[in-house]
Amino acid sequence: MSSQAELKQYLEFAISLAKDAGQMIRDATQKRLSSTSSQFVVKYDNPTDLVTETDQAVEKFIKERLSSTFPEHKFIGEETMAEGVQSEFTDAPTWIVDPIDGTTNFVHSHPYVAVSIGLTIGKEPVVGVVYCPLMDELYSAAKGLGAYLNETISLPMVRSPLEDLSQCLVATEAGSDRTPEVFDKKIDFIRTLLGQKQCHGKQAHSIRCTGSAAINMCTIAKGVVDVYWEVGCWEWDVAAAVVIVREAGGIVVSGDNKRDLSPVNIFGRKYLAIRAAQDQQSQIKIAEQMWEIIPEINAPRKPVPGGFEP
């Protein structure tokens, strides 16, 4: 494992890189607002899964900067994987990057758009930077070094008691998989989460959807949302934010319904995050209440020779 001095070096580099990538996104946003062309295409023949020229350009920029600075490090990126480039996850330092988390927001000029840059060492997420350039909010953390908003504000900003799911604000997403076997279960989950207790619901305060897994998790780190659950997103969506949530006192465990309190497998495609509280027992209580109503949803990965699918 790297020393804290090394982690701080990686963190400072990732912050600088995220800011530069964020400027590319701001520039592209201004260009798109003055253009009549869409500049996006559909991925995987799925009309709800989009990619833009900016996604591809930002990832190329980040990958080249990382490769020239840390040539011995590995790289896993959303657009690189989408192009069919195979990658094997090892103990070696590995940067896991989403150039634009919230591409659909970006296409619609909605501000919840983020650059997500995470670093794993020994297969553990240890550095995370999530930068929201259109709101100029930068979340950053490294293992043992704390979590911060805009490099100066310590997270969480809110640490009120966690007492019951009925008092929680919960973030989740519709996701890009709209097949009935997935989408209907998510709708049923929301119905149960918000439904009245006399009708066997949990009667949570409400739900929030930012359209970005990374930003959803940063609201957990900030302490302004209590619970985040999602099935179907990917490691590049969460690798950076997992570090930020943990360093802010939150927990990130499996978003399956198997009641597993082990640290989340970032490649598992199922995530449950709970904000900081006065004691971990209250976090576990909320996790247990969520697991009671989380549906069984398949989120498979197709194996490919020497690696895994995007």
Side-chain angles (χ1 to χ4, degrees):
M1 177 57 66
S2 297
S3 67
Q4 287 198 332
E6 289 174 313
L7 291 180
K8 186 176 180 180
Q9 175 193 359
Y10 295 144
L11 176 62
E12 290 173 350
F13 177 84
I15 289 172
S16 175
L17 183 57
K19 289 178 178 179
D20 290 344
Q23 185 60 53
M24 293 178 66
I25 293 172
R26 277 194 293 268
D27 293 344
T29 299
Q30 290 300 317
K31 181 179 178 181
R32 286 189 63 258
L33 289 173
S34 61
S35 173
T36 58
S37 62
S38 64
Q39 296 181 314
F40 72 86
V41 298
V42 172
K43 289 194 293 188
Y44 315 128
D45 298 320
N46 181 347
T48 61
D49 196 0
L50 308 177
V51 62
T52 69
E53 295 172 3
T54 307
D55 288 85
Q56 296 165 337
V58 172
E59 180 161 315
K60 180 181 178 182
F61 167 76
I62 292 173
K63 185 177 182 180
E64 289 176 351
R65 280 274 297 272
L66 287 169
S67 297
S68 63
T69 308
F70 305 110
E72 72 282 8
H73 289 193
K74 306 295 184 182
F75 180 87
I76 295 173
E78 178 178 13
E79 304 313 322
T80 303
M81 296 291 288
E83 292 171 358
V85 177
Q86 298 175 17
S87 182
E88 184 179 2
F89 188 50
T90 69
D91 287 335
T94 303
W95 296 91
I96 302 180
V97 171
D98 191 343
I100 299 182
D101 188 36
T103 298
T104 300
N105 289 342
F106 176 73
V107 166
H108 291 274
S109 301
H110 191 63
Y112 290 104
V113 171
V115 181
S116 177
I117 302 175
L119 173 67
T120 65
I121 299 177
K123 297 184 178 179
E124 177 188 4
V126 293
V127 170
V129 175
V130 173
Y131 182 41
C132 313
L134 304 184
M135 299 184 290
D136 198 24
E137 291 185 351
L138 189 145
Y139 299 85
S140 59
K143 184 178 180 180
L145 297 177
Y148 295 89
L149 170 61
N150 292 338
E151 301 181 74
T152 58
I153 303 171
S154 182
L155 299 177
M157 298 169 62
V158 180
R159 195 189 290 266
S160 54
L162 270 175
E163 296 179 358
D164 188 83
L165 190 53
S166 64
Q167 300 176 25
C168 288
L169 186 62
V170 180
T172 190
E173 295 291 340
S176 59
D177 187 342
R178 306 296 169 81
T179 56
E181 56 268 30
V182 172
F183 190 66
D184 289 355
K185 288 181 179 180
K186 288 186 176 182
I187 295 300
D188 288 343
F189 163 80
I190 292 172
R191 184 180 293 111
T192 302
L193 177 72
L194 300 180
Q196 294 180 322
K197 288 191 173 183
Q198 56 264 42
C199 299
H200 307 291
K202 294 295 184 181
Q203 209 160 335
H205 277 174
S206 192
I207 63 168
R208 295 292 181 266
C209 308
T210 68
S212 160
I215 295 177
N216 281 331
M217 291 186 73
C218 287
T219 65
I220 296 293
K222 189 187 286 189
V224 298
V225 172
D226 303 298
V227 182
Y228 166 62
W229 171 71
E230 191 167 358
V231 170
C233 47
W234 299 92
E235 54 275 5
W236 41 76
D237 300 313
V238 303
V242 164
V243 186
I244 298 167
V245 171
R246 288 175 179 169
E247 287 298 307
I251 61 173
V252 189
V253 295
S254 171
D256 209 336
N257 55 8
K258 300 295 191 291
R259 290 174 163 78
D260 184 1
L261 283 169
S262 305
V264 70
N265 171 13
I266 62 170
F267 289 85
R269 304 198 66 204
K270 301 180 181 184
Y271 311 97
L272 174 62
I274 299 169
R275 68 163 173 83
Q278 282 77 358
D279 62 275
Q280 192 177 60
Q281 197 57 42
S282 63
Q283 294 173 311
I284 294 173
K285 177 182 177 180
I286 299 299
E288 292 283 356
Q289 291 180 314
M290 285 290 292
W291 283 325
E292 288 174 5
I293 62 172
I294 287 175
E296 182 62 44
I297 296 177
N298 289 327
R301 304 183 71 93
K302 296 178 182 178
V304 296
F308 45 83
E309 70 159 5

PDB file of all heavy atoms in Angstrom, residues 219-244:
ATOM      1  N   THR A 219     -23.639  13.443  -2.653  1.00  0.00           N
ATOM      2  CA  THR A 219     -24.647  14.007  -1.759  1.00  0.00           C
ATOM      3  C   THR A 219     -24.712  13.206  -0.459  1.00  0.00           C
ATOM      4  O   THR A 219     -25.030  13.765   0.597  1.00  0.00           O
ATOM      5  CB  THR A 219     -26.037  14.064  -2.412  1.00  0.00           C
ATOM      6  OG1 THR A 219     -26.520  12.744  -2.677  1.00  0.00           O
ATOM      7  CG2 THR A 219     -26.017  14.875  -3.707  1.00  0.00           C
ATOM      8  N   ILE A 220     -24.398  11.916  -0.536  1.00  0.00           N
ATOM      9  CA  ILE A 220     -24.279  11.094   0.673  1.00  0.00           C
ATOM     10  C   ILE A 220     -23.082  11.569   1.495  1.00  0.00           C
ATOM     11  O   ILE A 220     -23.158  11.741   2.719  1.00  0.00           O
ATOM     12  CB  ILE A 220     -24.124   9.611   0.308  1.00  0.00           C
ATOM     13  CG1 ILE A 220     -25.380   9.082  -0.409  1.00  0.00           C
ATOM     14  CG2 ILE A 220     -23.821   8.768   1.544  1.00  0.00           C
ATOM     15  CD1 ILE A 220     -26.619   9.018   0.443  1.00  0.00           C
ATOM     16  N   ALA A 221     -21.948  11.782   0.829  1.00  0.00           N
ATOM     17  CA  ALA A 221     -20.745  12.257   1.521  1.00  0.00           C
ATOM     18  C   ALA A 221     -20.981  13.617   2.163  1.00  0.00           C
ATOM     19  O   ALA A 221     -20.517  13.888   3.277  1.00  0.00           O
ATOM     20  CB  ALA A 221     -19.571  12.333   0.548  1.00  0.00           C
ATOM     21  N   LYS A 222     -21.706  14.474   1.465  1.00  0.00           N
ATOM     22  CA  LYS A 222     -22.005  15.807   1.992  1.00  0.00           C
ATOM     23  C   LYS A 222     -22.939  15.718   3.195  1.00  0.00           C
ATOM     24  O   LYS A 222     -22.910  16.574   4.088  1.00  0.00           O
ATOM     25  CB  LYS A 222     -22.621  16.675   0.897  1.00  0.00           C
ATOM     26  CG  LYS A 222     -22.765  18.142   1.280  1.00  0.00           C
ATOM     27  CD  LYS A 222     -23.531  18.928   0.230  1.00  0.00           C
ATOM     28  CE  LYS A 222     -22.725  19.183  -1.015  1.00  0.00           C
ATOM     29  NZ  LYS A 222     -23.424  20.128  -1.943  1.00  0.00           N
ATOM     30  N   GLY A 223     -23.792  14.691   3.211  1.00  0.00           N
ATOM     31  CA  GLY A 223     -24.735  14.506   4.313  1.00  0.00           C
ATOM     32  C   GLY A 223     -26.109  15.079   4.038  1.00  0.00           C
ATOM     33  O   GLY A 223     -26.958  15.092   4.935  1.00  0.00           O
ATOM     34  N   VAL A 224     -26.372  15.519   2.804  1.00  0.00           N
ATOM     35  CA  VAL A 224     -27.667  16.125   2.492  1.00  0.00           C
ATOM     36  C   VAL A 224     -28.675  15.112   1.956  1.00  0.00           C
ATOM     37  O   VAL A 224     -29.858  15.429   1.795  1.00  0.00           O
ATOM     38  CB  VAL A 224     -27.506  17.300   1.503  1.00  0.00           C
ATOM     39  CG1 VAL A 224     -26.653  18.392   2.110  1.00  0.00           C
ATOM     40  CG2 VAL A 224     -26.895  16.827   0.176  1.00  0.00           C
ATOM     41  N   VAL A 225     -28.220  13.914   1.633  1.00  0.00           N
ATOM     42  CA  VAL A 225     -29.069  12.776   1.304  1.00  0.00           C
ATOM     43  C   VAL A 225     -28.636  11.638   2.209  1.00  0.00           C
ATOM     44  O   VAL A 225     -27.448  11.484   2.509  1.00  0.00           O
ATOM     45  CB  VAL A 225     -28.949  12.382  -0.188  1.00  0.00           C
ATOM     46  CG1 VAL A 225     -29.691  11.084  -0.477  1.00  0.00           C
ATOM     47  CG2 VAL A 225     -29.482  13.502  -1.082  1.00  0.00           C
ATOM     48  N   ASP A 226     -29.602  10.838   2.669  1.00  0.00           N
ATOM     49  CA  ASP A 226     -29.308   9.825   3.681  1.00  0.00           C
ATOM     50  C   ASP A 226     -28.896   8.482   3.099  1.00  0.00           C
ATOM     51  O   ASP A 226     -28.011   7.807   3.634  1.00  0.00           O
ATOM     52  CB  ASP A 226     -30.541   9.624   4.577  1.00  0.00           C
ATOM     53  CG  ASP A 226     -30.993  10.914   5.222  1.00  0.00           C
ATOM     54  OD1 ASP A 226     -30.208  11.498   5.993  1.00  0.00           O
ATOM     55  OD2 ASP A 226     -32.130  11.358   4.937  1.00  0.00           O
ATOM     56  N   VAL A 227     -29.536   8.086   2.006  1.00  0.00           N
ATOM     57  CA  VAL A 227     -29.340   6.749   1.443  1.00  0.00           C
ATOM     58  C   VAL A 227     -29.287   6.849  -0.079  1.00  0.00           C
ATOM     59  O   VAL A 227     -30.034   7.626  -0.682  1.00  0.00           O
ATOM     60  CB  VAL A 227     -30.503   5.799   1.845  1.00  0.00           C
ATOM     61  CG1 VAL A 227     -30.264   4.392   1.294  1.00  0.00           C
ATOM     62  CG2 VAL A 227     -30.697   5.760   3.351  1.00  0.00           C
ATOM     63  N   TYR A 228     -28.410   6.056  -0.674  1.00  0.00           N
ATOM     64  CA  TYR A 228     -28.367   5.940  -2.136  1.00  0.00           C
ATOM     65  C   TYR A 228     -28.359   4.472  -2.495  1.00  0.00           C
ATOM     66  O   TYR A 228     -27.548   3.688  -1.981  1.00  0.00           O
ATOM     67  CB  TYR A 228     -27.125   6.630  -2.692  1.00  0.00           C
ATOM     68  CG  TYR A 228     -26.818   6.273  -4.134  1.00  0.00           C
ATOM     69  CD1 TYR A 228     -27.708   6.576  -5.156  1.00  0.00           C
ATOM     70  CD2 TYR A 228     -25.630   5.629  -4.475  1.00  0.00           C
ATOM     71  CE1 TYR A 228     -27.425   6.253  -6.482  1.00  0.00           C
ATOM     72  CE2 TYR A 228     -25.330   5.304  -5.790  1.00  0.00           C
ATOM     73  CZ  TYR A 228     -26.234   5.617  -6.785  1.00  0.00           C
ATOM     74  OH  TYR A 228     -25.953   5.289  -8.086  1.00  0.00           O
ATOM     75  N   TRP A 229     -29.261   4.083  -3.398  1.00  0.00           N
ATOM     76  CA  TRP A 229     -29.299   2.693  -3.875  1.00  0.00           C
ATOM     77  C   TRP A 229     -29.429   2.709  -5.391  1.00  0.00           C
ATOM     78  O   TRP A 229     -30.222   3.441  -5.957  1.00  0.00           O
ATOM     79  CB  TRP A 229     -30.497   1.935  -3.302  1.00  0.00           C
ATOM     80  CG  TRP A 229     -30.675   0.579  -3.936  1.00  0.00           C
ATOM     81  CD1 TRP A 229     -29.884  -0.520  -3.759  1.00  0.00           C
ATOM     82  CD2 TRP A 229     -31.688   0.186  -4.875  1.00  0.00           C
ATOM     83  NE1 TRP A 229     -30.342  -1.573  -4.527  1.00  0.00           N
ATOM     84  CE2 TRP A 229     -31.446  -1.165  -5.220  1.00  0.00           C
ATOM     85  CE3 TRP A 229     -32.771   0.849  -5.453  1.00  0.00           C
ATOM     86  CZ2 TRP A 229     -32.252  -1.870  -6.112  1.00  0.00           C
ATOM     87  CZ3 TRP A 229     -33.570   0.151  -6.351  1.00  0.00           C
ATOM     88  CH2 TRP A 229     -33.311  -1.199  -6.663  1.00  0.00           C
ATOM     89  N   GLU A 230     -28.599   1.881  -6.031  1.00  0.00           N
ATOM     90  CA  GLU A 230     -28.720   1.737  -7.481  1.00  0.00           C
ATOM     91  C   GLU A 230     -28.186   0.382  -7.926  1.00  0.00           C
ATOM     92  O   GLU A 230     -27.213  -0.137  -7.372  1.00  0.00           O
ATOM     93  CB  GLU A 230     -27.987   2.855  -8.225  1.00  0.00           C
ATOM     94  CG  GLU A 230     -28.313   2.877  -9.719  1.00  0.00           C
ATOM     95  CD  GLU A 230     -27.867   4.139 -10.425  1.00  0.00           C
ATOM     96  OE1 GLU A 230     -27.326   5.045  -9.768  1.00  0.00           O
ATOM     97  OE2 GLU A 230     -28.061   4.201 -11.657  1.00  0.00           O
ATOM     98  N   VAL A 231     -28.845  -0.158  -8.933  1.00  0.00           N
ATOM     99  CA  VAL A 231     -28.430  -1.397  -9.593  1.00  0.00           C
ATOM    100  C   VAL A 231     -28.268  -1.103 -11.074  1.00  0.00           C
ATOM    101  O   VAL A 231     -29.144  -0.490 -11.693  1.00  0.00           O
ATOM    102  CB  VAL A 231     -29.469  -2.519  -9.392  1.00  0.00           C
ATOM    103  CG1 VAL A 231     -29.148  -3.719 -10.272  1.00  0.00           C
ATOM    104  CG2 VAL A 231     -29.529  -2.945  -7.936  1.00  0.00           C
ATOM    105  N   GLY A 232     -27.123  -1.509 -11.640  1.00  0.00           N
ATOM    106  CA  GLY A 232     -26.951  -1.404 -13.083  1.00  0.00           C
ATOM    107  C   GLY A 232     -25.917  -0.404 -13.540  1.00  0.00           C
ATOM    108  O   GLY A 232     -25.620  -0.344 -14.735  1.00  0.00           O
ATOM    109  N   CYS A 233     -25.374   0.405 -12.636  1.00  0.00           N
ATOM    110  CA  CYS A 233     -24.287   1.286 -13.074  1.00  0.00           C
ATOM    111  C   CYS A 233     -22.971   0.515 -12.979  1.00  0.00           C
ATOM    112  O   CYS A 233     -22.941  -0.684 -12.685  1.00  0.00           O
ATOM    113  CB  CYS A 233     -24.266   2.590 -12.278  1.00  0.00           C
ATOM    114  SG  CYS A 233     -24.404   2.419 -10.514  1.00  0.00           S
ATOM    115  N   TRP A 234     -21.852   1.207 -13.218  1.00  0.00           N
ATOM    116  CA  TRP A 234     -20.578   0.528 -13.419  1.00  0.00           C
ATOM    117  C   TRP A 234     -19.494   1.070 -12.504  1.00  0.00           C
ATOM    118  O   TRP A 234     -19.678   2.095 -11.847  1.00  0.00           O
ATOM    119  CB  TRP A 234     -20.132   0.666 -14.878  1.00  0.00           C
ATOM    120  CG  TRP A 234     -21.094   0.065 -15.850  1.00  0.00           C
ATOM    121  CD1 TRP A 234     -22.123   0.691 -16.488  1.00  0.00           C
ATOM    122  CD2 TRP A 234     -21.147  -1.299 -16.270  1.00  0.00           C
ATOM    123  NE1 TRP A 234     -22.792  -0.194 -17.293  1.00  0.00           N
ATOM    124  CE2 TRP A 234     -22.217  -1.418 -17.180  1.00  0.00           C
ATOM    125  CE3 TRP A 234     -20.380  -2.435 -15.975  1.00  0.00           C
ATOM    126  CZ2 TRP A 234     -22.553  -2.624 -17.795  1.00  0.00           C
ATOM    127  CZ3 TRP A 234     -20.703  -3.634 -16.600  1.00  0.00           C
ATOM    128  CH2 TRP A 234     -21.785  -3.713 -17.489  1.00  0.00           C
ATOM    129  N   GLU A 235     -18.363   0.377 -12.479  1.00  0.00           N
ATOM    130  CA  GLU A 235     -17.267   0.746 -11.588  1.00  0.00           C
ATOM    131  C   GLU A 235     -16.766   2.163 -11.822  1.00  0.00           C
ATOM    132  O   GLU A 235     -16.382   2.861 -10.873  1.00  0.00           O
ATOM    133  CB  GLU A 235     -16.112  -0.259 -11.703  1.00  0.00           C
ATOM    134  CG  GLU A 235     -15.586  -0.501 -13.092  1.00  0.00           C
ATOM    135  CD  GLU A 235     -16.362  -1.546 -13.895  1.00  0.00           C
ATOM    136  OE1 GLU A 235     -17.412  -2.042 -13.407  1.00  0.00           O
ATOM    137  OE2 GLU A 235     -15.925  -1.851 -15.018  1.00  0.00           O
ATOM    138  N   TRP A 236     -16.753   2.626 -13.077  1.00  0.00           N
ATOM    139  CA  TRP A 236     -16.272   3.987 -13.339  1.00  0.00           C
ATOM    140  C   TRP A 236     -17.246   5.035 -12.812  1.00  0.00           C
ATOM    141  O   TRP A 236     -16.854   6.166 -12.576  1.00  0.00           O
ATOM    142  CB  TRP A 236     -16.041   4.202 -14.835  1.00  0.00           C
ATOM    143  CG  TRP A 236     -17.091   3.600 -15.716  1.00  0.00           C
ATOM    144  CD1 TRP A 236     -18.345   4.075 -15.951  1.00  0.00           C
ATOM    145  CD2 TRP A 236     -16.963   2.393 -16.477  1.00  0.00           C
ATOM    146  NE1 TRP A 236     -19.026   3.249 -16.807  1.00  0.00           N
ATOM    147  CE2 TRP A 236     -18.194   2.206 -17.153  1.00  0.00           C
ATOM    148  CE3 TRP A 236     -15.932   1.462 -16.663  1.00  0.00           C
ATOM    149  CZ2 TRP A 236     -18.427   1.125 -17.997  1.00  0.00           C
ATOM    150  CZ3 TRP A 236     -16.165   0.386 -17.503  1.00  0.00           C
ATOM    151  CH2 TRP A 236     -17.393   0.222 -18.155  1.00  0.00           C
ATOM    152  N   ASP A 237     -18.513   4.648 -12.599  1.00  0.00           N
ATOM    153  CA  ASP A 237     -19.486   5.563 -12.007  1.00  0.00           C
ATOM    154  C   ASP A 237     -19.238   5.777 -10.516  1.00  0.00           C
ATOM    155  O   ASP A 237     -19.589   6.823  -9.976  1.00  0.00           O
ATOM    156  CB  ASP A 237     -20.907   5.028 -12.187  1.00  0.00           C
ATOM    157  CG  ASP A 237     -21.306   4.852 -13.638  1.00  0.00           C
ATOM    158  OD1 ASP A 237     -21.070   5.790 -14.422  1.00  0.00           O
ATOM    159  OD2 ASP A 237     -21.867   3.795 -13.989  1.00  0.00           O
ATOM    160  N   VAL A 238     -18.666   4.768  -9.837  1.00  0.00           N
ATOM    161  CA  VAL A 238     -18.640   4.797  -8.374  1.00  0.00           C
ATOM    162  C   VAL A 238     -17.255   4.738  -7.746  1.00  0.00           C
ATOM    163  O   VAL A 238     -17.111   5.033  -6.557  1.00  0.00           O
ATOM    164  CB  VAL A 238     -19.494   3.637  -7.792  1.00  0.00           C
ATOM    165  CG1 VAL A 238     -20.931   3.713  -8.306  1.00  0.00           C
ATOM    166  CG2 VAL A 238     -18.884   2.270  -8.108  1.00  0.00           C
ATOM    167  N   ALA A 239     -16.223   4.344  -8.499  1.00  0.00           N
ATOM    168  CA  ALA A 239     -14.910   4.083  -7.880  1.00  0.00           C
ATOM    169  C   ALA A 239     -14.399   5.288  -7.100  1.00  0.00           C
ATOM    170  O   ALA A 239     -13.912   5.155  -5.977  1.00  0.00           O
ATOM    171  CB  ALA A 239     -13.897   3.677  -8.951  1.00  0.00           C
ATOM    172  N   ALA A 240     -14.472   6.471  -7.687  1.00  0.00           N
ATOM    173  CA  ALA A 240     -14.001   7.675  -6.999  1.00  0.00           C
ATOM    174  C   ALA A 240     -14.900   8.023  -5.821  1.00  0.00           C
ATOM    175  O   ALA A 240     -14.420   8.341  -4.716  1.00  0.00           O
ATOM    176  CB  ALA A 240     -13.945   8.843  -7.980  1.00  0.00           C
ATOM    177  N   ALA A 241     -16.207   7.962  -6.030  1.00  0.00           N
ATOM    178  CA  ALA A 241     -17.153   8.384  -5.004  1.00  0.00           C
ATOM    179  C   ALA A 241     -17.145   7.459  -3.787  1.00  0.00           C
ATOM    180  O   ALA A 241     -17.434   7.904  -2.671  1.00  0.00           O
ATOM    181  CB  ALA A 241     -18.556   8.476  -5.588  1.00  0.00           C
ATOM    182  N   VAL A 242     -16.823   6.186  -3.982  1.00  0.00           N
ATOM    183  CA  VAL A 242     -16.725   5.263  -2.838  1.00  0.00           C
ATOM    184  C   VAL A 242     -15.712   5.789  -1.829  1.00  0.00           C
ATOM    185  O   VAL A 242     -15.950   5.774  -0.616  1.00  0.00           O
ATOM    186  CB  VAL A 242     -16.346   3.847  -3.319  1.00  0.00           C
ATOM    187  CG1 VAL A 242     -15.852   2.993  -2.151  1.00  0.00           C
ATOM    188  CG2 VAL A 242     -17.544   3.163  -3.979  1.00  0.00           C
ATOM    189  N   VAL A 243     -14.568   6.253  -2.302  1.00  0.00           N
ATOM    190  CA  VAL A 243     -13.535   6.786  -1.409  1.00  0.00           C
ATOM    191  C   VAL A 243     -14.059   8.020  -0.672  1.00  0.00           C
ATOM    192  O   VAL A 243     -13.864   8.187   0.538  1.00  0.00           O
ATOM    193  CB  VAL A 243     -12.255   7.143  -2.188  1.00  0.00           C
ATOM    194  CG1 VAL A 243     -11.148   7.566  -1.222  1.00  0.00           C
ATOM    195  CG2 VAL A 243     -11.797   5.978  -3.053  1.00  0.00           C
ATOM    196  N   ILE A 244     -14.741   8.883  -1.401  1.00  0.00           N
ATOM    197  CA  ILE A 244     -15.253  10.128  -0.822  1.00  0.00           C
ATOM    198  C   ILE A 244     -16.286   9.837   0.273  1.00  0.00           C
ATOM    199  O   ILE A 244     -16.248  10.434   1.353  1.00  0.00           O
ATOM    200  CB  ILE A 244     -15.834  11.024  -1.929  1.00  0.00           C
ATOM    201  CG1 ILE A 244     -14.727  11.409  -2.926  1.00  0.00           C
ATOM    202  CG2 ILE A 244     -16.480  12.272  -1.346  1.00  0.00           C
ATOM    203  CD1 ILE A 244     -15.234  12.015  -4.218  1.00  0.00           C
TER     204      ILE A 244
END
